[in-house]
Amino acid sequence: MRFDGTDDYVATDDLTMAVNAAITLERPLLVKGEPGTGKTELARQVAAGLGLPMIEWNIKSTTKAQQGLYEYDAVSRLRDSQLGDERVHDVSNYVRKGKLWQAFEAENKVVLLIDEVDKADIEFPNDLLQELDKMEFHVYETGETVKARVRPIVIITSNNEKELPDAFLRRCFFHYIKFPDHETLRSIVEVHHPGIKQSLLTAALTQFYELREQSGLKKKPSTSEVLDWLKLLLAEDLDAEDLKRDGASALPRLHGALLKNEQDVHLFERLAFMARRQGR
């Protein structure tokens, strides 16, 4: 079983090597990188490329590790007991399976995505150490032990918002998705916008990288944002000439797709103001 990328996803050599190393070692693949660099999409494309179903667990700030295993609905059982419902005699009727349980009981190999693990409490990764290592857990209410029939491919993403515990990191194969260079980004654009005019693409990417490299920028635009920007440029039927900026504004056309806060917009407005003053 080997991942070599897909027609819909440009995977660099080091990224495919990381995926295949994690598969070989049977360890979770921990993927970090800037938001919008394709970490979540990687899991979907690994599943598509290997022809496997995917189970997706999206982590929130309130998510607890136990929810990934199972949840016991004691309130519903109490209510049913008061109503005389026969279901109350079987505790398993009140145990809701989590995403890990679903992955563990699958008849065949699946891809399990644990998305944005750094959003949860710092104890969240520690609470999953044994379950991800041994691929089993105990259900106290029923007394059963759930063990993976086939070890899933586990992909865990992080936006690096907080440090993850060393014990958790030790159990993972780690890969950081670097922001794509000019040629790689061109290849990514060609996948999403086939047949785009090369003159427009060259002008747009030149502006995009200039914007990303501007000092003082609070949030650098990501791969997903440049794809959205190009989609707008194509929808407006703009060409390379239309992207040329005059001295009145340092902002690119349709900059709302690239700049996502007022501080960065004001930064470019100040740059334009300073350029006008120097041009007098």
Side-chain angles (χ1 to χ4, degrees), residues 183-248:
E183 287 307 311
T184 303
L185 189 53
R186 289 183 79 98
S187 299
I188 293 171
V189 171
E190 288 284 0
V191 168
H192 291 269
H193 302 297
I196 186 171
K197 293 179 182 177
Q198 292 303 303
S199 58
L200 173 62
L201 180 56
T202 299
L205 292 187
T206 298
Q207 274 193 28
F208 173 72
Y209 277 104
E210 287 175 353
L211 188 150
R212 266 187 63 88
E213 292 163 8
Q214 176 62 51
S215 60
L217 204 61
K218 183 177 181 181
K219 182 195 176 302
K220 294 182 177 181
S222 67
T223 309
S224 63
E225 287 159 341
V226 73
L227 292 174
D228 286 344
W229 183 49
L230 286 166
K231 184 177 181 179
L232 289 173
L233 297 181
L234 291 170
E236 294 292 326
D237 198 24
L238 301 179
D239 58 27
E241 285 295 317
D242 295 318
L243 296 188
K244 289 184 178 179
R245 289 172 286 191
D246 55 34

Side-chain angles (χ1 to χ4, degrees), residues 154-170:
V154 181
I155 298 178
I156 304 170
T157 72
S158 169
N159 287 326
N160 227 8
E161 292 181 7
K162 61 170 68 84
E163 290 295 321
L164 298 174
D166 289 345
F168 179 78
L169 296 174
R170 183 177 65 80

Side-chain angles (χ1 to χ4, degrees), residues 77-204:
R77 192 180 187 198
L78 175 61
R79 183 192 63 234
D80 288 350
S81 69
Q82 294 170 337
L83 296 173
D85 194 319
E86 287 298 317
R87 296 174 69 253
V88 76
H89 300 298
D90 185 356
V91 68
S92 65
N93 290 324
Y94 304 93
V95 174
R96 291 200 292 264
K97 299 176 181 179
K99 298 296 184 179
L100 265 72
W101 191 331
Q102 294 172 30
F104 287 4
E105 72 174 1
E107 295 284 350
N108 300 300
K109 188 179 285 290
V110 301
V111 174
L112 171 63
L113 169 63
I114 304 177
D115 200 25
E116 298 189 331
V117 68
D118 52 326
K119 279 187 175 180
D121 184 85
I122 189 62
E123 290 304 317
F124 178 89
N126 282 331
D127 292 342
L128 289 177
L129 287 180
Q130 295 303 315
E131 289 77 7
L132 290 177
D133 199 21
K134 295 184 177 180
M135 287 289 160
E136 65 178 46
F137 63 89
H138 186 70
V139 184
Y140 295 97
E141 288 75 10
T142 63
E144 65 182 307
T145 296
V146 177
K147 188 170 184 177
R149 296 178 180 177
V150 182
R151 196 176 185 96
I153 297 172
V154 181
I155 298 178
I156 304 170
T157 72
S158 169
N159 287 326
N160 227 8
E161 292 181 7
K162 61 170 68 84
E163 290 295 321
L164 298 174
D166 289 345
F168 179 78
L169 296 174
R170 183 177 65 80
R171 289 167 167 82
C172 299
F173 189 92
F174 172 76
H175 182 74
Y176 184 86
I177 297 182
K178 300 176 184 176
F179 192 82
D181 58 28
H182 201 283
E183 287 307 311
T184 303
L185 189 53
R186 289 183 79 98
S187 299
I188 293 171
V189 171
E190 288 284 0
V191 168
H192 291 269
H193 302 297
I196 186 171
K197 293 179 182 177
Q198 292 303 303
S199 58
L200 173 62
L201 180 56
T202 299

